[in-house]
Amino acid sequence: MQRLIVTVIIAFLAAIALGPVVIPWLKRMKFGQTIYDLGPKSHLKKQGIPTMGGIIFALPILIVPVIMSYGYQRGRLMWLALICTLGFGAVGFVDDFIKVKLKRSLGLTPIQKLIPQIIISLALALWAYFDPQIGSALRVPFSGGEWNLGWFFIPAMVFVLVGTVNSANLLDGLDGLLASCSLIDFATMALVVMALAVGEDPRQDGSLTCVMLLCGAAAGALMGFLRFNAYPAGVFMGDVGSFTIGGLLAGVCLVTRFSLLLPIIALAMVLSSLSDIIQVTYFKATHGKRIFRMAPLHHHFELGGMPETRIVSMYTIGTALLCLVALLGVN
């Protein structure tokens, strides 16, 4: 517990220290946000605000848990989760770089983003499937049992990984929204993994303990990032940030076999994806009619006159309550 708390504090301080270094550098490099033409008109004032600020929390997430797990037998689980984080974060970095350098608001095309995501997800799913510490069985919340998917585990995890990463990307639409919700998600997963690691001697096999430290580092780093990203945002995380968050959250759930917790703790991400899918499907089926004022769902609330800060508060409180429910289901 003490090492977890220290990890959170160090990651927080690292993000706080990186902000004043990274943000001026992004400004000098002219890495400003290009606002999507079809987005809410109120967002046009955000044109030019530095993006790719996800670097501020991505670096502590990748470095701090490795340092703080010194003296522990790290095992494979933390490395798998870190590779998942780094792999998806790299795709987001390339997407951001194209946006800011070529001034293309859409960055990579959907297929250009999807192919590397599927390749990364497939590799990770195969690794997990053949790893004796993970295998093909998922823990089932509230039951204490397991659900063995057999070979179907591989395509199921590809779907979960790709879906989580893109859902996180869709949720990143308002100042501090994704960072606030994800902060609570990672704090919750730190407690979940702590419960799983009871009785584990980290000096003999610290696999789960190191994953717990990874979640703590993510929570602390995002807490520090909110100093710069909360409304009114002085920097945006960009796809490098949202892909890093989605990759890490899905990766942690993969290695702990708790992917079935994602629809609960990450319901905000799920709603963003579902609202987007429903909107596009209905729009095409009805030749131009819409269910929501704009998708994802948080933009529907925004165009209805709800302030950004209230939407973020509503989503954050909802996420906190759902995470408490999720903790009840961990046996």
Side-chain angles (χ1 to χ4, degrees):
M1 172 64 83
Q2 288 182 338
R3 193 175 288 216
L4 173 62
I5 293 172
V6 173
T7 300
V8 173
I9 294 172
I10 291 176
F12 167 76
L13 293 175
I16 289 290
L18 281 170
V21 176
V22 172
I23 295 173
W25 175 74
L26 293 173
K27 290 180 179 178
R28 287 196 302 271
M29 297 297 292
K30 302 187 186 304
F31 285 176
Q33 179 73 19
T34 302
I35 301 299
Y36 185 36
D37 295 337
L38 299 180
K41 299 304 179 185
S42 60
H43 287 202
L44 292 176
K45 63 184 179 182
K46 302 181 181 184
Q47 182 84 17
I49 292 177
T51 188
M52 297 182 70
I55 297 170
I56 294 170
F57 60 80
L59 290 176
I61 287 173
L62 294 171
I63 296 172
V64 172
V66 176
I67 295 173
M68 291 304 299
S69 60
Y70 175 78
Y72 288 173
Q73 185 63 40
R74 296 186 179 100
R76 296 180 299 275
L77 300 186
M78 184 182 75
W79 297 119
L80 195 158
L82 280 173
I83 290 171
C84 186
T85 306
L86 186 60
F88 284 109
V91 176
F93 179 87
V94 172
D95 189 37
D96 279 339
F97 191 80
I98 291 174
K99 289 178 183 177
V100 297
K101 278 299 183 183
L102 302 183
K103 302 301 179 184
R104 282 171 43 188
S105 62
L106 295 179
L108 292 170
T109 65
I111 194 68
Q112 287 173 335
K113 280 192 281 192
L114 188 60
I115 290 176
Q117 288 180 44
I118 291 175
I119 293 173
I120 294 168
S121 299
L122 182 59
L124 292 168
L126 286 168
W127 181 352
Y129 180 78
F130 289 108
D131 191 307
Q133 285 186 281
I134 305 174
S136 59
L138 301 179
R139 291 185 169 96
V140 180
F142 303 101
S143 73
E146 294 186 349
W147 181 19
N148 195 327
L149 299 178
W151 66 267
F152 186 70
F153 172 88
I154 297 171
M157 289 305 102
V158 170
F159 174 79
V160 169
L161 286 163
V162 173
T164 303
V165 168
N166 287 284
S167 295
N169 184 242
L170 286 172
L171 186 59
D172 181 32
L174 301 177
D175 295 358
L177 179 57
L178 177 57
S180 297
C181 293
S182 301
L183 163 61
I184 297 172
D185 288 338
F186 286 119
T188 300
M189 287 308 300
L191 295 176
V192 169
V193 183
M194 181 189 295
L196 296 177
V198 170
E200 180 180 80
D201 182 354
R203 287 169 178 80
Q204 299 297 321
D205 179 14
S207 295
L208 289 170
T209 302
C210 292
V211 175
M212 176 190 71
L213 296 178
L214 178 57
C215 293
L222 285 168
M223 198 186 312
F225 178 69
L226 277 170
R227 160 66 180 83
F228 313 102
N229 183 241
Y231 183 88
V235 67
F236 298 133
M237 68 171 67
D239 285 1
V240 64
S242 61
F243 278 38
T244 293
I245 288 173
L248 177 56
L249 185 59
V252 167
C253 289
L254 173 67
V255 301
T256 58
R257 301 191 291 124
F258 255 128
S259 294
L260 293 178
L261 276 181
L262 279 171
I264 303 174
I265 66 173
L267 183 62
M269 297 182 189
V270 174
L271 290 176
S272 293
S273 285
L274 285 178
S275 61
D276 202 54
I277 293 170
I278 291 170
Q279 183 85 324
V280 172
T281 303
Y282 188 77
F283 184 86
K284 290 181 178 179
T286 59
H287 305 289
K289 293 183 179 180
R290 293 177 171 84
I291 291 179
F292 306 107
R293 299 181 186 94
M294 182 176 288
L297 187 59
H298 49 266
H299 289 321
H300 171 78
F301 295 130
E302 187 180 12
L303 292 183
M306 190 178 292
E308 280 193 51
T309 50
R310 184 174 298 176
I311 299 170
V312 173
S313 298
M314 179 176 67
Y315 271 64
T316 304
I317 292 169
T319 298
L321 290 173
L322 288 168
C323 283
L324 289 173
V325 172
L327 288 172
L328 292 175
V330 176
N331 298 307

